[in-house]
Amino acid sequence: MTYFRKRIDMKIAICLRRVPDTTAKIVIGPSGVAIDEAGVKFVPNPYDEYALEAGLALVGAAGAGETVVVGFAGDSVQETLRTALAMGVDRAVHLQGTPTADGLANARVLADHLRDGGYDLILFGKLAVDDYGQQTGVMVAELLGLPCATAISSLSVDGGVATVTREVEGGVENATCALPAVLTCDKGLNTPRLPSLKGIMAAKKKPLDIVPVTVGESRVTVVSLAMPPERAAGRMLGEGAAAVPALITALTTEAKVL
Amino acid sequence: MAGGSAAYTGVDFYDMDSLLSEEERAVRDTVRSWVDDHLMPVIGDCYIEGRFPKELIPGMAELGLFGANLPEEYGCAGLNNVAYGLIMQELERGDSGIRSFASVQGALVMYPVYAFGSEEQKKYWLPKMAAGEEIGCFGLTEPDFGSNPGGLITTARETADGWVLNGTKMWITNGSQATVSIIWAKTGDIDDAKSIRGFIVPTNLPGFTAKDQKGKLSLRASDTSELHLQDVHVPKDAILPLSGGLKSPLMCLTQARYGIAWGGVGAAMACFDEARSYAANRIMFDKPIAATQIQQERLAEMLTEITKGQLLVLQLGRLKDKGTMTPSQVSLAKRNNINMACECAREARRLLGGNGILIEYHSMRHMANLESVYTYEGTHDMHSLILGQEITGIAAY
Ligand SMILES: Cc1cc2nc3c(=O)[nH]c(=O)nc-3n(C[C@H](O)[C@H](O)[C@H](O)COP(=O)(O)OP(=O)(O)OC[C@H]3O[C@@H](n4cnc5c(N)ncnc54)[C@H](O)[C@@H]3O)c2cc1C
C-alpha cells in the first residue's frame, strides 16, 4: 500500500543564548557580580545548538516550513544569531535589551514575543552553561499555556504530536505531547551541524530583525561571584605496576574510597 | 588528546582577531571545529599507514572547502582571500597532507579551469570539483625538471580531432586518486617554453597510468604519484584556451603558495600549542620544564616567529583582496612562513623529549611534513633566488 505523507509546514522558533566558550579562562569583572568579557570568546550555548539542529532537521525533513532564531540580549548576540543563520536558520529576531538575574522577568520578554508567532514548536536548550538557570524554557511554556517536555534526548514529530525521550534516573522516559509545545533539549538529541562556508556568506543576506524590548523589574539580585577553589596539584606516586601498592595505600588511607 | 592538552584555541598574541571580520572568524572557527572533530581523531593512524583519509572528502566538500575563494556561480563559496587563507591555516594545523589536498583541488586544479578555461569548461567542471565529485591533480613537475619546470618535455601534438599527449610527471599530489588531471605540456618546440599549454585530462583515458610513490618519510597522509601518459588522446576542447606559456602554471603556483604561507602558520601554531601545554605539565627536577629558562626561550622564539608570520599573511591577504599582490610578495611569505614552521616544529619536538618522537604527539609529524612543504611549490632556495632577482634585477638561477 502506498500512502502519501502530507507535507507539513512546520514553523519552529529556537531561543538562543550566547555564552563564554567553555574552554575560556573566566575572570570576574571589577563589579564583582559579572565576568570580565574582555578577550573571552563567546559561542552559542551548546544545549541551544541541539535545539537549532533539531529545528533545522525537522523542517528539512518536512520539506517545508520556517525556522526562526530568537535571542534576548545585548547587541553582541547578533553575531551568535548570525551563526545560527549560517547553520541554515531562515531568519533571526534580536530582542534588544538586558536580561536580568530574574528568570521569570526574562521569560516574560520571550513569551510576549513568541505568543502570536504561530509556532508549532518552541525549542530551548535545557540550560545555559554560563548561569545554569534552567528556568527559561519551562517558564515560557507556562506563560504561553503550552505543554512542555524538558531535557529531551530524542524527538520525532508526526501528525501534530511530538514523541520525545527523556533520560531519567536509571532509565528513559518516553512521552508524547500535542503541538504546539515547548521542548528543552539535552545532549544526545543530535549532532549539531557546522555552518558551511556558503552558509556563512548567505547569513549576511538573511533577515535579522531588531526589536527593542523592556524587561520587568528583577526580583533576584546577584550579590557576588566567586571562582571555585583551586584544585591542588596532582601527585605522582610512581609509574606502571610499581606504583600500584602506593596507589592502593593512598586510596585506602587518604581518599578513603576503598 | 595527546599530552593531556586542552581544546585547541589557536595562538593570538597580537589580537589578530580584531583585524578579522566576523565572517572571516566564523570561517576560521568552522574549519577549526571540523579539524578537531573529523581530522584529529584519524590523522595519526593515517600517517602511520601512509593513507590519505578519502572518507573525509564529502565532508570537506559539504563545508565548501574546495576552491572556496572562487565565485558562487560555479558552486564555490565565494569567500575573500583572507578567509581562504584561514581555511588553509586551519587545515594545516591538522596536517600538511590534508591542506595539500585542498590546495591542489582548489588552487592548482579549479583555479586554472577558472582562469584559463572556457565558459563551458568552467560550468562543467567547477561545480563537480567544488562538490568533491571530481578529484583533480596538477601535473607540472617531471623527473628531470623540478625547479626549472620551463624545461619540461611532455608534449601535446595536435591531430585532426584533438590532441595526443606523451610524457612523464613526477611527485604529483593526489595523482593516484584523481579522476581528472591538469597536464602541462609543450605544443611546440621542446625548447619553446612559450608553447606550454594546460590540458584537462581525465585519468581513466587509455594510456594514462598513475603509480604511487612509495617509501615517503614525509607527507604520509597524502598520495604522491608518478603519472605516465603514453599516446593519450583527448578531444579538442581539452585544452585550456586561455593558458599560454610557463606563466600560466606559475600563476597557479602563486595561488597555491599564497595558501601555503597561511598553512605554515597553522602548523607552527599546532606545534607551539603542543609545546606550551607539554612544558606546563611535564615535571622534571621537581618542577615543570616550563619553569626552565631554556624551554621558555624556545617558547618565546616560537611565539615571536608565529606572530610575525601571522601579520605577514594577513597583510598579504589584504593585498590579494585589493588585487595588488605580486608573485614575489608571495615568495617572501612562503619562504619565511614555511621555514618558520619547520623551525617551530623541530623546537617543539625537542621540547617534548622522548615523547616528541611518538605519533601520539603532533610536532614530529608536522616537522617531517614540512620538509615536503619546504621543497614543493618552489623550494626555499628558489624563493631566495626569486627575491634576489626582485632586489637586484639579476636572475641567479
Ligand atoms: C610531497 C610532494 C608533492 C608534490 N606535489 C606536486 C604536484 O602536485 N605537482 C607538481 O607538479 N609537482 C609537485 N611536487 C614537485 C615539487 O614541486 C618539486 O619537487 C620541486 O619543484 C623541486 O624539484 P626537484 O624535486 O626536482 O628538486 P631539484 O630542482 O632537483 O632541486 C634540488 C636542490 O637543488 C636546489 N636548486 C635547484 N636549482 C637551483 C639553482 N638554480 N640554484 C641553487 N639551488 C638550486 C633546490 O633548491 C634543491 O635544494 C611535489 C613534491 C613533493 C616532495
Side-chain angles (χ1 to χ4, degrees):
Chain A
M1 194 179 87
T2 49
Y3 77 107
F4 295 97
R5 208 165 159 206
K6 214 171 72 191
R7 251 168 77 110
I8 4 157
D9 251 301
M10 292 270 280
K11 189 167 177 189
I12 301 179
I14 302 107
C15 295
L16 182 63
R17 274 280 301 277
R18 169 182 179 273
V19 297
D21 195 338
T22 45
T23 62
K25 250 210 192 85
I26 299 297
V27 177
I28 296 169
S31 70
V33 295
I35 66 161
D36 183 357
E37 298 198 353
V40 174
K41 187 174 171 228
F42 282 80
V43 295
N45 175 38
Y47 291 100
D48 299 352
E49 288 189 319
Y50 302 123
L52 281 168
E53 178 60 38
L56 289 168
L58 281 173
V59 168
E66 188 185 29
T67 47
V68 182
V69 61
V70 181
F72 167 39
D75 287 350
S76 51
V77 80
Q78 288 179 14
E79 178 170 355
T80 315
L81 294 173
R82 273 190 291 272
T83 306
L85 295 175
M87 285 170 74
V89 171
D90 298 307
R91 64 186 176 87
V93 179
H94 173 204
L95 301 179
Q96 192 179 39
T98 311
T100 68
D102 186 340
L104 185 57
N106 302 337
R108 281 190 211 284
V109 172
L110 285 164
D112 286 346
H113 176 77
L114 294 165
R115 186 168 287 113
D116 300 321
Y119 294 107
D120 301 294
L121 268 179
I122 299 173
L123 303 176
F124 289 85
K126 75 165 179 184
L127 58 82
V129 299
D130 55 353
D131 62 17
Y132 272 64
Q134 315 193 40
Q135 304 183 11
T136 320
V138 279
M139 285 178 167
V140 168
E142 175 72 14
L143 291 167
L144 297 179
L146 294 178
C148 181
T150 55
I152 61 166
S153 56
S154 85
L155 166 65
S156 61
V157 174
D158 204 5
V161 176
T163 305
V164 303
T165 305
R166 307 176 59 247
E167 310 269 338
V168 295
E169 186 62 37
V172 292
E173 175 186 281
N174 298 308
T176 60
C177 73
L179 303 189
V182 173
L183 305 173
T184 76
C185 301
D186 201 354
K187 198 174 169 166
L189 179 60
N190 50 43
T191 309
R193 67 193 67 187
L194 286 173
S196 75
L197 306 189
K198 278 187 217 170
I200 290 168
M201 299 303 282
K204 285 195 284 195
K205 294 170 206 140
K206 290 182 179 176
L208 193 166
D209 297 326
I210 300 169
V211 183
V213 292
T214 43
V215 57
E217 198 197 330
S218 174
R219 294 162 305 165
V220 177
T221 310
V222 176
V223 181
S224 70
L225 289 180
M227 300 302 285
E230 273 212 38
R231 262 196 299 165
R235 190 175 62 189
M236 291 295 284
L237 295 172
E239 265 187 47
V244 172
L247 181 61
I248 289 177
T249 312
L251 290 174
T252 337
T253 60
E254 288 179 48
K256 301 196 167 64
V257 292
L258 290 185
Chain B
M1 202 188 273
S5 58
Y8 176 76
T9 52
V11 179
D12 187 6
F13 194 61
Y14 264 33
D15 193 16
M16 300 290 297
D17 264 20
S18 66
L19 301 176
L20 300 176
S21 72
E22 186 183 310
E23 284 90 39
E24 288 161 354
R25 277 182 281 123
V27 167
R28 192 257 330 264
D29 292 348
T30 289
V31 181
R32 187 171 287 174
S33 301
W34 181 86
V35 168
D36 279 334
D37 296 347
H38 299 276
L39 181 56
M40 297 319 286
V42 302
I43 189 59
D45 287 343
C46 285
Y47 194 87
I48 293 286
E49 292 160 21
R51 177 179 84 80
F52 173 78
K54 278 205 272 299
E55 63 278 12
L56 299 183
I57 296 174
M60 294 172 85
E62 202 174 310
L63 277 187
L65 299 185
F66 302 139
N69 55 349
L70 299 178
E72 289 165 84
E73 58 174 311
Y74 299 116
C76 304
L79 300 182
N80 72 11
N81 287 293
V82 169
Y84 170 83
L86 288 163
I87 296 174
M88 297 299 136
Q89 170 188 298
E90 293 306 315
L91 290 178
E92 196 139 8
R93 188 276 287 193
D95 189 82
S96 301
I98 306 323
R99 199 272 305 133
S100 297
F101 181 90
S103 284
V104 168
Q105 180 80 350
L108 296 181
V109 177
M110 295 173 72
Y111 172 79
V113 172
Y114 172 70
F116 312 125
S118 66
E119 198 51 40
E120 293 76 54
Q121 286 171 331
K122 290 191 242 189
K123 286 223 170 75
Y124 178 81
W125 288 104
L126 293 178
K128 288 185 172 39
M129 290 167 167
E133 291 160 15
E134 296 278 358
I135 301 302
C137 67
F138 177 86
L140 177 66
T141 305
E142 299 184 0
D144 295 325
F145 300 92
S147 295
N148 60 338
L152 63 83
I153 55 172
T154 294
T155 57
R157 297 289 169 244
E158 199 157 9
T159 64
D161 57 352
W163 299 86
V164 179
L165 278 73
N166 276 291
T168 299
K169 297 290 180 182
M170 183 85 177
W171 299 113
I172 306 306
T173 303
N174 299 354
S176 59
Q177 59 169 318
T179 55
V180 60
S181 61
I182 303 291
I183 298 294
W184 299 93
K186 281 181 178 152
T187 55
D189 202 75
I190 218 65
D191 304 324
D192 180 12
K194 283 198 210 63
S195 78
I196 293 176
R197 307 289 300 269
F199 293 83
I200 305 178
V201 184
T203 58
N204 62 0
L205 292 180
F208 191 113
T209 48
K211 197 172 79 204
D212 267 339
Q213 192 73 52
K214 297 283 178 217
K216 282 192 300 169
L217 298 176
S218 168
L219 221 67
R220 289 183 52 77
S222 165
D223 292 331
T224 313
S225 328
E226 196 176 309
L227 308 180
H228 289 283
L229 292 92
Q230 192 176 356
D231 293 330
V232 175
H233 287 259
V234 292
K236 280 219 172 333
D237 63 2
I239 194 167
L240 290 168
L242 301 178
S243 67
L246 183 63
K247 188 165 179 283
S248 300
L250 294 187
M251 281 169 69
C252 303
L253 295 176
T254 297
Q255 301 301 312
R257 288 166 184 168
Y258 165 76
I260 291 170
W262 280 89
V265 175
M269 280 160 57
C271 295
F272 175 77
D273 185 66
E274 181 165 84
R276 174 177 50 188
S277 117
Y278 192 87
N281 291 312
R282 177 66 176 168
I283 310 289
M284 199 48 55
F285 295 102
D286 300 324
K287 61 183 184 203
I289 59 169
T292 66
Q293 291 185 350
I294 289 182
Q295 307 316 326
Q296 287 190 3
E297 194 205 12
R298 276 211 161 103
L299 293 168
E301 194 65 33
M302 289 168 76
L303 180 62
T304 306
E305 293 307 316
I306 288 169
T307 302
K308 283 151 73 176
Q310 287 172 331
L311 287 160
L312 200 61
V313 282
L314 182 62
Q315 173 63 2
L316 187 68
R318 297 289 179 229
L319 293 177
K320 189 167 182 348
D321 279 329
K322 238 178 24 180
T324 62
M325 181 187 85
T326 67
S328 41
Q329 288 171 338
V330 179
S331 284
L332 188 150
K334 192 270 182 183
R335 179 178 180 277
N336 183 77
N337 282 13
I338 298 308
N339 192 53
M340 174 279 281
C342 287
E343 296 295 325
C344 283
R346 182 176 298 275
E347 291 306 315
R349 200 236 52 79
R350 289 177 177 166
L351 180 148
L352 265 62
N355 278 328
I357 71 160
L358 297 176
I359 194 69
E360 279 84 349
Y361 293 84
H362 307 303
S363 295
M364 185 152 178
R365 177 168 51 79
H366 282 296
M367 184 185 108
N369 277 339
L370 287 161
E371 289 299 317
S372 286
V373 184
Y374 186 92
T375 296
Y376 71 29
E377 293 279 347
T379 65
H380 185 81
D381 299 338
M382 288 313 296
H383 289 298
S384 305
L385 299 177
I386 291 168
L387 287 173
Q389 182 179 13
E390 173 81 18
I391 299 162
T392 64
I394 307 165
Y397 49 88

